[in-house]
């Protein structure tokens, strides 16, 4: 194995593993915890520090993962 091929394998194998792992995660669990309320469905206002329903996740505590959103967009754009 040449040094160039070894370097390419050392770079591409972890990238492929991470990509496949994230794709599998997006397939198995398309929703993740909301980044604003951390899945609690409540957030605090900056000014008064009172808790209020999280408007970023519409009071669900869930958000669609970026990879799943990209997959859904590509599925809508590409003809079946
Ligand atoms: Zn939220």
């Amino acid at each position: 194995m040449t040094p160039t091929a070894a370097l390419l394998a050392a770079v591409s194998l972890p990238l492929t593993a991470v990509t496949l792992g994230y794709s599998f995660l997006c397939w198995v669990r398309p929703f993740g915890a909301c980044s604003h309320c951390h899945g609690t469905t409540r957030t605090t206002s900056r000014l008064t520090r009172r808790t209020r329903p999280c408007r970023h996740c519409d009071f669900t505590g869930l958000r669609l993962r970026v990879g799943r959103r990209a997959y859904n967009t590509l599925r809508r754009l590409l003809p079946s």
Side-chain angles (χ1 to χ4, degrees), residues 30-77:
F31 292 97
C34 174
S35 61
H36 291 272
C37 64
H38 305 287
T40 61
T41 70
R42 310 258 336 150
T43 185
T44 56
S45 65
R46 290 180 185 230
L47 204 58
T48 61
R49 298 289 180 198
R50 292 180 58 193
T51 60
R52 57 181 168 81
C54 179
R55 61 183 173 174
H56 296 279
C57 60
D58 292 331
F59 203 50
T60 61
L62 300 173
R63 61 150 179 87
L64 196 60
R65 294 184 193 276
V66 173
R68 184 61 184 224
R69 193 176 308 143
Y71 172 76
N72 289 345
T73 301
L74 285 175
R75 198 178 62 189
R76 278 189 216 113
L77 289 176

